[in-house]
């Protein structure tokens, strides 16, 4: 418990310091940006040049720095974290280089004034910090590892100290990143997020940015009567409209990314010259927002935080438009134009910022979409609020008292609804009342957020899931409710049947061929190629290390020294000379190379000593009749990347995220139902099973589905006769196979697996039509096979262990 407290305090303190330093640096950068504009206000051409040059320099620097230091720092980071929390390993995403690139690149992007957000990248930064701290803590205690629990706490801290919203931060991190959340981590997330948010706000007070610890965007709405029930339809309209707008934002963002990935001449040119695209996007956006130009009609002079503060104010702009500005209006005066209506300015701002935000989040820089979408929702809500204030200029009468409409409350509700629609979360309502410091509009806010989610989830995936789909990350999609097909599709319909495996009799040649022809991270181990009983799984790195040591020069020298002790020193010197030194005597060198080649060939034919290898004796297994729904639940809950499919201990297939993802997309896509590949065979077997005699049911339960590739029963009988004839004339070549003298041999058992190179690949399939390595499906003598009873299996495995050489 003490180590947990130390870790959480260090994580919260570090992230609070990083967040405050980034905000302080970006704020100073924006102040310098506006100071330059004020100094050049008399010279419009120079002012425009400075207005577009300043952000271009910062954006290009951020893009170049991330590209050189760590390309993994580009983008939001939340989609990759969702994938990592699913159990998939993404290289270089949780390293110190990515942390440095993300912090510096994000600070430069925020200081440019472009419509990019901080929250998504900061979640990635906090997760990296949690991973690095966990490795640091493991130096003093081996308990800490980079696990899903630690990364989940890091996500909560990232959101909490980004805006000073610990409650909403924890809830948002759970909704966005976790399919299943361990309740035991709840207190860790809340403690770290609260401590981080507290330190973040204390640093603002220390820097005299605030008088005391208050909300980041504090509002002053009246509390005694914040809204009337007659306004609820307007709040519902905001929620439904934000649902459609949020779905369109996700669609537009995905189309821009897909366009940039198409193999056209333009995209190839932009890919070759990486800095042109972010520079061009920044130039276009800065040109449109130039205050003396088109920017005067869309409040272009306001920076992101100034936009939020002005949209949340208590003034009704339609009433003060065209009249002298009242005292305390502040930066909200940018929304008032002497010749243009407030409605036009708000509408232009929303439309222009909509496509600007969708495009700017595709630039190769650290950038998030939460804050730009938050501003879009606030602008849309403010527009609806100003319309309501115009329709009810005298306010709403209640209990003899007239209460005026608060357009700022509509802006808060719109901000929560829009961000909820884009991210498919409900916790944005909690974030909003923590940001504003008032809970007065929590009820209409929740109604609007829920309606926005209902609409958006039916139209588009969330922004983070959309990025996962575009990047083709190995993430498991959700199963839709009410689809019966997820209960009618089984593992046997989607699994891969040609499994690459090792047996207890495998040679180093087979191991070498397996490592050269596959990229599997874990390889299953079976007892023999006939029985295919799953014994466990072995990591690829473990097998590679064993093979490298077996063929190493050091072992060769040692073996030669053991064979001829009197010539040990000579052989040792000659062996290293052929490998590491160049000799003038070419014939001796050629002879030495031939000796090494002969020795390696002889060593490759020796069996692998499985006793010297670390084996996972309990890899995750499924049975053939496991439904798609249950498989999806297990993969999501346990974070599995693959699972082996067994039938009474016999390895018959493997299912990975790729197969599961294809099955889910095929079964839940609108108007499409996945037809299982073996559905016809399964249905036929069910119909004919009733008419079969009981004596024929003694074979494996999978024999009725082993008809894949077989023509007819007569052809299979012919193949079995040929196999029996071959077994009488030839002996099996598998050394030490248990039960090989009594068990019936298959057609392929007479072939030496160490012969041709293609034999290992063919032997890697547990079920390949009539030439499988297992016994024929309906062989008349399969009832004597030791595969059928658990007691015989146990005796067989014990006999194998006793027969293995020490």
């Amino acid at each position: 418990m003490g180590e947990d407290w130390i870790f959480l305090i260090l994580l919260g303190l570090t992230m609070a310091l990083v967040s405050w330093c980034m905000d302080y640096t970006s704020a100073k950068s924006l102040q310098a940006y506006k100071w330059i504009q004020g100094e050049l206000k008399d010279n419009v051409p120079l002012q425009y040049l400075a207005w577009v040059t300043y952000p271009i320099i910062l954006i290009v620097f951020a893009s170049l720095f991330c590209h050189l230091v760590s390309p993994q720092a580009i983008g939001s980071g939340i989609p990759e974290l969702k994938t990592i929390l699913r159990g998939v390993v993404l290289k270089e995403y949780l390293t110190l280089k990515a942390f440095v690139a993300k912090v510096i690149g994000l600070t430069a992007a925020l200081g440019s004034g472009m419509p990019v957000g901080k929250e998504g990248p900061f979640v990635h930064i906090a997760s990296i910090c949690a991973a690095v701290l966990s490795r640091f803590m493991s130096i003093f205690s081996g308990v800490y590892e980079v696990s899903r629990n630690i990364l989940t706490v890091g996500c909560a801290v990232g959101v909490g100290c980004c805006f000073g919203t610990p409650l909403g931060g924890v809830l948002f991190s759970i909704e966005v990143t976790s399919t299943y959340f361990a309740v035991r981590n709840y207190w860790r997330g809340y403690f770290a997020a609260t401590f981080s948010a507290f330190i973040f706000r204390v640093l603002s007070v220390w820097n005299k940015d605030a008088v005391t610890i208050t909300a980041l965007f504090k509002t002053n709405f009246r509390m005694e009567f914040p809204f009337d029930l007659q306004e609820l339809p307007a709040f519902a309209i905001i929620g439904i409209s934000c649902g459609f707008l949020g779905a369109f934002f996700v669609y537009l963002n995905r189309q821009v990314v897909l366009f940039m990935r198409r193999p056209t001449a333009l995209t190839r040119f932009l890919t070759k010259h990486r800095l042109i695209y972010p520079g061009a996007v920044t130039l276009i956006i800065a040109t449109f927002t130039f205050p003396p130009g088109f920017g005067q009609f869309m409040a272009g002079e306001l920076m992101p935080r100034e936009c939020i503060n002005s949209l949340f104010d208590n003034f009704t702009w339609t009433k003060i438009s065209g009249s002298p500005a009242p005292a305390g209006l502040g930066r909200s005066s940018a929304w008032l134009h002497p010749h243009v209506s407030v409605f036009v300015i708000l509408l232009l701002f929303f439309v222009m910022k909509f496509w600007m935000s969708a495009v700017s989040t595709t630039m190769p820089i650290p950038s998030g979409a939460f804050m730009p979408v938050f501003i879009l929702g606030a602008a849309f809500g403010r527009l609806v609020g100003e319309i309501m204030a115009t329709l009810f200029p005298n306010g709403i009468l209640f209990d003899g008292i007239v209460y005026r409409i608060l357009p700022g409350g509509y802006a808060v509700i719109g901000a929560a609804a829009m961000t909820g629609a884009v991210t498919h979360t409900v916790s944005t309502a909690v974030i909003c009342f923590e940001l504003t410091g008032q809970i007065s509009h929590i009820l209409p806010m929740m109604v609007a957020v829920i309606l926005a989610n209902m609409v958006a989830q039916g139209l588009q995936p969330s922004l983070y899931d959309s990025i996962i789909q575009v990047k083709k990350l190995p993430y498991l999609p959700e199963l839709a409710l009410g689809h019966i097909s997820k209960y009618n599709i089984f593992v046997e319909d989607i699994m891969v049947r040609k499994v690459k495996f090792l047996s207890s009799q495998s040679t180093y040649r087979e191991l070498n061929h397996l490592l050269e022809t596959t990229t599997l991270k874990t390889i299953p181990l079976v007892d023999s190629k006939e029985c295919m009983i799953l014994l466990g799984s072995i990591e690829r790195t473990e097998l590679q290390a064993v093979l490298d040591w077996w063929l190493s020069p050091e072992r060769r020298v040692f073996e030669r020294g053991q064979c001829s002790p009197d010539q040990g020193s000579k052989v040792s010197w000659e062996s290293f000379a052929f490998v590491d030194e160049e000799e003038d005597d070419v014939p001796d060198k050629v002879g030495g190379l031939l000796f090494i080649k002969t020795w390696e060939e002889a060593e490759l034919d020796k069996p692998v000593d499985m006793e010297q290898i670390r084996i996972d004796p309990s890899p995750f297994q499924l049975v053939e009749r496991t439904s798609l729904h249950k498989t999806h639940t297990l993969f999501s809950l346990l974070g599995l990347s693959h699972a082996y499919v067994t039938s009474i201990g016999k390895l018959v297939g493997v299912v990975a995220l790729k197969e599961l993802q294809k099955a889910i997309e095929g079964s839940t896509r609108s108007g499409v139902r996945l037809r299982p590949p073996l559905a016809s065979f399964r249905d036929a077997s069910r119909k004919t099973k009733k008419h079969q005699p009981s004596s024929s049911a003694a074979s494996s339960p999978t024999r009725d589905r082993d008809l894949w590739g077989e023509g007819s029963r007569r052809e299979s009988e012919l193949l079995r006769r040929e196999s029996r004839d071959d077994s009488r004339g030839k002996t099996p070549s598998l050394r030490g196979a248990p039960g090989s003298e009594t068990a019936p041999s298959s057609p392929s058992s007479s072939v030496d697996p160490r012969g041709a190179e293609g034999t290992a690949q063919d032997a890697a399939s547990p079920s390949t039509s009539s030439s499988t390595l297992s016994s024929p499906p309906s062989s008349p003598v399969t009832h004597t096979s030791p595969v059928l009873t658990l007691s015989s299996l146990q005796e067989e495995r014990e006999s194998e262990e006793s027969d293995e050489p020490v």
Side-chain angles (χ1 to χ4, degrees):
M1 183 65 69
E3 292 172 353
D4 283 347
W5 287 102
I6 296 174
F7 171 78
L8 297 174
I9 290 174
L10 288 177
L11 177 61
L13 180 62
T14 304
M15 293 314 302
L17 291 172
V18 172
S19 179
W20 183 81
C21 291
M22 289 177 60
D23 284 355
Y24 180 81
T25 306
S26 60
K28 293 298 181 182
S29 175
L30 292 175
Q31 287 180 7
Y33 188 28
K34 298 179 70 174
W35 178 82
I36 294 174
Q37 293 302 305
E39 293 295 322
L40 299 176
K41 61 181 180 180
D42 296 331
N43 193 332
V44 176
L46 284 179
Q47 189 180 12
Y48 170 76
L49 184 63
W51 180 264
V52 299
T53 304
Y54 191 89
I56 287 177
I57 293 175
L58 291 176
I59 293 296
V60 170
F61 166 76
S63 178
L64 181 62
F65 187 82
C66 292
H67 175 69
L68 295 178
V69 177
S70 177
Q72 290 79 13
I74 293 174
S76 170
I78 290 182
E80 289 78 12
L81 274 177
K82 291 187 69 172
T83 307
I84 292 173
L85 290 172
R86 264 287 302 114
V88 180
V89 178
L90 297 180
K91 295 181 179 180
E92 305 295 330
Y93 269 94
L94 298 176
T95 59
L96 196 58
K97 290 196 305 181
F99 179 85
V100 174
K102 199 89 172 184
V103 169
I104 296 178
L106 181 60
T107 304
L110 294 175
S112 67
M114 288 292 103
V116 294
K118 173 187 175 184
E119 188 201 30
F122 210 75
V123 170
H124 188 195
I125 292 171
S127 300
I128 297 175
C129 184
V132 174
L133 276 178
S134 65
R135 298 190 189 103
F136 175 76
M137 294 287 291
S138 63
I139 298 176
F140 305 98
S141 173
V143 177
Y144 274 89
E145 296 179 356
V146 182
S147 62
R148 291 196 297 174
N149 300 334
I150 291 177
L151 295 181
T152 303
V153 173
C155 295
V157 173
V159 183
C161 67
C162 182
F163 300 130
T165 56
L167 299 179
V170 174
L171 297 177
F172 185 83
S173 65
I174 294 174
E175 285 189 282
V176 169
T177 60
S178 301
T179 305
Y180 293 93
F181 183 78
V183 181
R184 64 179 179 273
N185 296 322
Y186 223 43
W187 75 269
R188 294 183 175 90
Y190 272 120
F191 173 77
T194 303
F195 182 78
S196 181
F198 173 76
I199 298 297
F200 174 69
R201 299 305 296 159
V202 165
L203 290 173
S204 299
V205 176
W206 172 77
N207 195 47
K208 298 181 180 179
D209 295 332
V211 179
T212 184
I213 298 178
T214 57
L216 197 61
F217 304 111
K218 186 173 179 56
T219 57
N220 295 305
F221 304 138
R222 62 173 182 265
M223 296 296 296
E224 66 277 5
F225 193 81
F227 63 92
D228 189 77
L229 292 179
Q230 302 177 42
E231 299 179 73
L232 286 179
F235 298 144
I237 291 175
I238 291 178
I240 296 173
S241 302
C242 285
F244 285 104
L245 293 171
F248 182 68
F249 182 88
V250 175
Y251 173 79
L252 181 61
N253 179 271
R254 183 170 64 251
Q255 292 304 314
V256 174
V257 176
L258 292 176
F259 172 78
M260 295 303 300
R261 289 173 175 259
R262 291 173 186 169
T264 61
L266 176 60
T267 55
R268 283 193 294 266
F269 174 78
L270 294 177
T271 303
K272 184 178 180 180
H273 305 84
R274 299 177 180 272
L275 302 180
I276 292 181
Y277 177 69
V281 171
T282 306
L283 175 63
I284 295 173
I285 294 177
T287 301
F288 276 107
T289 57
F290 182 53
F294 187 78
Q296 62 181 318
F297 305 112
M298 53 174 290
E301 63 182 272
L302 297 180
M303 296 298 110
R305 293 205 172 187
E306 294 176 340
C307 288
I308 297 176
N309 283 321
S310 59
L311 289 170
F312 287 175
D313 68 9
N314 278 344
F315 295 97
T316 304
W317 296 341
T318 54
K319 293 185 177 181
I320 62 177
S321 179
S323 60
L329 186 61
R331 299 299 296 169
S332 299
S333 59
W335 299 96
L336 305 177
H337 194 276
H339 306 293
V340 182
S341 172
V342 173
F343 302 110
V344 176
I345 293 179
L346 284 171
L347 184 61
L348 282 177
F349 176 86
F350 179 79
V351 172
M352 299 301 292
K353 288 290 184 178
F354 193 92
W355 68 263
M356 288 179 183
S357 302
V359 174
S360 62
T361 51
T362 63
M363 292 189 296
I365 59 172
S367 62
F370 188 92
M371 186 58 71
V373 172
F374 190 85
I375 296 174
L376 286 175
F380 180 77
R382 184 79 191 202
L383 178 61
V384 176
E386 295 291 343
I387 294 175
M388 288 291 294
T390 304
L391 294 177
F392 301 93
N394 298 324
I396 297 176
L397 179 63
F398 178 79
D399 198 16
I401 304 175
V402 177
Y403 293 95
R404 63 183 181 87
I405 291 177
L406 301 176
Y410 286 76
V412 175
I413 293 173
M418 182 69 80
T419 50
V422 171
T423 60
H424 287 191
T425 58
V426 184
S427 57
T428 53
V430 183
I431 293 177
C432 276
F433 81 70
E434 284 188 284
L435 280 174
T436 59
Q438 287 189 289
I439 201 173
S440 56
H441 287 79
I442 186 64
L443 179 60
M445 194 183 302
M446 289 299 300
V447 172
V449 170
I450 292 174
L451 289 175
N453 270 271
M454 290 175 57
V455 175
Q457 290 181 16
L459 298 176
Q460 290 288 330
S462 70
L463 180 63
Y464 308 122
D465 291 339
S466 175
I467 296 174
I468 287 174
Q469 294 176 5
V470 171
K471 290 187 175 182
K472 297 181 180 180
L473 297 175
Y475 182 73
L476 196 60
E478 293 295 330
L479 275 175
L481 298 175
H483 288 278
I484 306 300
S485 57
K486 62 185 179 183
Y487 299 100
N488 297 334
I489 299 175
F490 302 96
V491 168
E492 62 180 349
D493 301 324
I494 63 176
M495 68 181 182
V496 176
R497 295 177 176 268
K498 294 184 179 181
V499 185
K500 305 293 183 180
F501 63 90
L502 287 174
S503 67
S504 56
Q505 297 86 31
S506 296
T507 63
Y508 283 96
R509 188 180 301 278
E510 296 176 354
L511 174 59
N512 185 37
H513 179 76
L514 187 62
L515 293 176
E516 289 179 351
T517 56
T518 64
T519 58
L520 300 175
K521 294 182 180 180
T522 57
I523 297 174
L525 175 66
V526 299
D527 62 339
S528 65
K529 298 178 181 179
E530 292 82 10
C531 297
M532 292 297 295
I533 299 299
L534 181 64
L535 302 180
S537 63
I538 309 174
E539 295 289 336
R540 182 186 185 89
T541 54
E542 181 79 12
L543 293 173
Q544 188 66 57
V546 169
L547 181 62
D548 293 341
W549 173 82
W550 187 258
L551 300 179
S552 62
E554 293 81 1
R555 181 180 172 276
R556 182 174 67 250
V557 173
F558 177 78
E559 292 291 334
R560 291 292 295 172
Q562 293 291 327
C563 295
S564 53
D566 55 339
Q567 300 178 359
S569 59
K570 181 178 179 181
V571 172
S572 176
W573 176 84
E574 289 178 352
S575 299
F576 281 110
F578 292 131
V579 177
D580 301 327
E581 301 179 6
E582 293 186 2
E583 296 289 337
D584 296 333
D585 192 358
V586 177
D588 291 344
K589 184 176 182 180
V590 173
L593 292 176
L594 291 176
F595 162 73
I596 294 174
K597 185 66 176 177
T598 305
W599 178 83
E600 289 183 351
E601 290 295 325
E603 294 298 314
L604 285 174
D605 290 334
K606 295 182 180 180
V608 181
D609 186 8
M610 296 298 176
E611 295 294 333
Q612 305 299 324
I613 302 177
R614 290 177 295 181
I615 301 174
D616 179 12
S618 57
F620 197 85
Q621 304 175 37
L622 300 172
V623 296
E624 297 171 295
R625 300 290 292 177
T626 305
S627 65
L628 178 63
H629 176 266
K630 184 178 292 185
T631 304
H632 178 273
T633 303
L634 293 173
F635 269 67
S636 302
L637 183 60
L638 301 178
L640 302 177
S641 60
H642 68 280
Y644 300 113
V645 184
T646 58
S647 175
I648 49 176
K650 176 181 176 181
L651 179 64
V652 295
V654 62
V655 58
L657 278 176
K658 182 178 180 181
E659 290 77 31
L660 196 56
Q661 182 179 2
K662 289 181 178 179
I664 293 172
E665 291 176 349
S667 63
T668 61
R669 188 180 294 112
S670 178
V672 178
R673 291 294 182 270
L674 177 67
R675 178 62 176 171
L678 300 181
S680 58
F681 294 107
R682 185 169 61 245
D683 297 338
S685 65
R686 290 174 180 172
K687 293 179 181 179
T688 59
K689 189 174 181 180
K690 299 179 180 179
H691 305 285
Q692 292 179 353
S694 58
S695 60
S696 63
S699 59
S700 172
T702 60
R703 65 178 183 82
D704 291 332
R705 291 178 292 278
D706 283 339
L707 298 176
W708 188 275
E710 293 188 8
S712 64
R713 184 175 181 181
R714 182 175 299 177
E715 293 178 354
S716 62
E717 290 289 342
L718 180 60
L719 290 174
R720 284 194 293 273
R721 291 176 183 175
E722 292 177 356
S723 65
R724 286 196 294 269
D725 294 338
D726 293 340
S727 61
R728 294 172 183 173
K730 299 180 182 179
T731 58
S733 60
L734 298 175
R735 297 192 304 271
S740 59
E741 296 180 358
T742 59
S745 59
S746 63
S748 61
S749 61
S750 60
V751 183
D752 189 354
R754 296 167 293 169
E757 293 183 4
T759 309
Q761 183 176 1
D762 297 334
S765 172
S767 176
T768 54
S769 71
S770 61
S771 61
T772 56
L773 292 175
S774 59
S775 300
S778 58
S779 175
V781 295
T782 52
H783 63 279
T784 62
S785 174
V787 181
L788 296 179
T789 61
L790 294 177
S791 59
S792 59
L793 285 177
Q794 185 176 4
E795 294 175 359
E796 180 180 353
R797 296 182 66 173
E798 292 177 354
S799 64
E800 287 179 13
E801 295 176 357
S802 60
D803 294 338
E804 288 181 356
V806 180

